[in-house]
Amino acid sequence: MSGLEMRELEAFLVLAEELHFGRAGQRLYVSQSRVSQLLRSLESRVGAPLVHRTSRRVSLTTLGERFLADLGPAYEALRRAVDDVRAAAVGIGASLRVGFQGTVDGHLADALTLFGDRHPDCVVDVVEIPLSDPFGALRRREVDTAVVLLPVREPDLVVGPVFSRHHHTLAVPARHPFAARESVSAEELAECRVIGVHSDAPEYWRAVHAPTRTPEGRLVPSGPAVHTLQEGLSLVAADRGALLLCRATAAHHANRSSVAFVPVTGLPVSELGLVRHRHHAQPRARAFAQAVVDTLPD
């Protein structure tokens, strides 16, 4: 294994997650052919194929699966060791960029304050993430960690902690028949157009936050799709549809006279999670995660 390059190992790990040379190249910021070249070099060192390649699909060989099981934890441990010694040498880092969806609630504000008290030399920037692209900023390294609505089923992202559990609320125009109600049921979503989210967000994520079916399977009419929360609320005010959002976000916007916020029964609770990149996370991102944990309500 003399001369083994970390880039070869990283290419294998990313390809094992994506099972697609093009997507692996995008994540590694290299060409598809470069990913193939790195993999061939690694296979040459190992002495056997690690990946089955056909024109239609990519899959791991039996040896590749075994290698992945052994390499994954070892690579993570090595990466953490390098990050930790770097942090010890130069401090936690010059800056922390925290992305968020929706609003910065009291808990998140407390976590930001605690992190600042613990690491006064680290400048913290707070960046709003579009509703339609919950994970893009992390992958583009525009933020170091992000507070996003769950679910998160992305193999390259690490979730935790999970917090801010709230029931859903339906934003409707102030003159909508639902506006005077104390609550509406999830089945009644079939009686209004629900504003959707643009397709940058994964389909499974959009299905939770802009469902097309009620829990009993009734069709929910689709309204226009939006990129941001503000776009969605503006469309609600213009009577273009209704928007699902968590109760905490609804409370933050309760002063909008043109929009009414009505609790929804029969849906799973809305949850926020702190997310960081599995391969690019810095010590400061893990330190902020600890601040979030330490400020969780009892």
Side-chain angles (χ1 to χ4, degrees):
M1 299 298 288
S2 176
L4 182 66
E5 293 186 8
M6 291 296 295
R7 196 62 166 164
E8 295 172 359
L9 301 179
E10 186 178 14
F12 170 74
L13 288 170
V14 173
L15 183 62
E17 289 180 4
E18 295 291 347
L19 296 179
H20 188 281
F21 280 88
R23 291 195 298 270
Q26 290 174 359
R27 280 180 50 187
L28 293 166
Y29 300 98
V30 299
S31 66
Q32 179 174 323
S33 61
R34 178 57 177 160
V35 177
S36 181
Q37 180 185 25
L38 289 167
L39 183 66
R40 285 197 303 270
S41 178
L42 179 60
E43 289 176 326
S44 176
R45 299 180 196 278
V46 170
L50 298 172
V51 171
H52 291 300
R53 309 163 178 82
T54 70
S55 58
R56 294 188 176 183
R57 64 189 299 265
V58 175
S59 61
L60 297 181
T61 64
T62 301
L63 187 63
E65 291 175 351
R66 176 181 172 182
F67 187 48
L68 176 64
D70 291 338
L71 176 62
Y75 182 87
E76 284 297 302
L78 179 59
R79 183 188 56 77
R80 283 195 301 270
V82 173
D83 285 345
D84 290 346
V85 75
R86 181 186 296 123
V90 301
I92 199 68
S95 66
L96 173 74
R97 297 162 298 174
V98 180
F100 72 96
Q101 284 188 306
T103 60
V104 176
D105 64 8
H107 174 218
L108 184 56
D110 289 344
L112 289 165
T113 299
L114 178 60
F115 178 86
D117 291 342
R118 289 175 173 174
H119 309 288
D121 294 332
C122 184
V123 177
V124 179
D125 294 319
V126 181
V127 181
E128 185 173 4
I129 293 175
L131 188 66
S132 64
D133 191 15
F135 313 128
L138 271 172
R139 288 174 171 147
R140 294 188 297 270
R141 305 194 193 188
E142 295 169 358
V143 297
D144 302 302
T145 187
V147 178
V148 300
L149 289 161
L150 301 188
V152 177
R153 303 172 189 161
E154 308 298 303
D156 60 325
L157 303 181
V158 177
V159 183
V162 174
F163 57 96
S164 191
R165 295 175 173 88
H166 294 279
H167 292 290
H168 278 89
T169 299
L170 188 67
V172 296
R175 288 179 283 186
H176 192 279
F178 287 169
R181 297 270 297 274
E182 291 186 1
S183 66
V184 297
S185 71
E187 292 305 312
E188 290 178 294
L189 295 177
E191 300 173 19
C192 59
R193 292 190 303 161
V194 172
I195 293 171
V197 180
H198 271 288
S199 58
D200 288 341
E203 183 178 358
Y204 73 82
W205 192 92
R206 288 184 280 121
V208 171
H209 300 290
T212 57
R213 295 277 178 179
T214 70
E216 294 183 5
R218 298 175 66 193
L219 181 66
V220 177
S222 297
V226 298
H227 290 285
T228 69
L229 174 63
Q230 293 302 324
E231 284 180 21
L233 290 172
S234 296
L235 287 175
V236 172
D239 199 13
R240 297 285 305 280
L243 180 69
L244 274 175
L245 65 168
C246 73
R247 191 165 296 180
T249 301
H252 183 78
H253 294 278
N255 61 347
R256 287 177 176 255
S257 60
S258 56
V259 178
F261 299 94
V262 188
V264 180
T265 62
L267 288 178
V269 296
S270 172
E271 296 179 303
L272 292 174
L274 189 67
V275 183
R276 60 185 186 274
H277 201 285
R278 186 177 300 278
H279 304 300
H280 303 150
Q282 300 293 329
R284 54 186 176 267
R286 292 196 291 274
F288 182 70
Q290 187 60 53
V292 173
V293 170
D294 291 343
T295 51
L296 284 171
D298 293 332

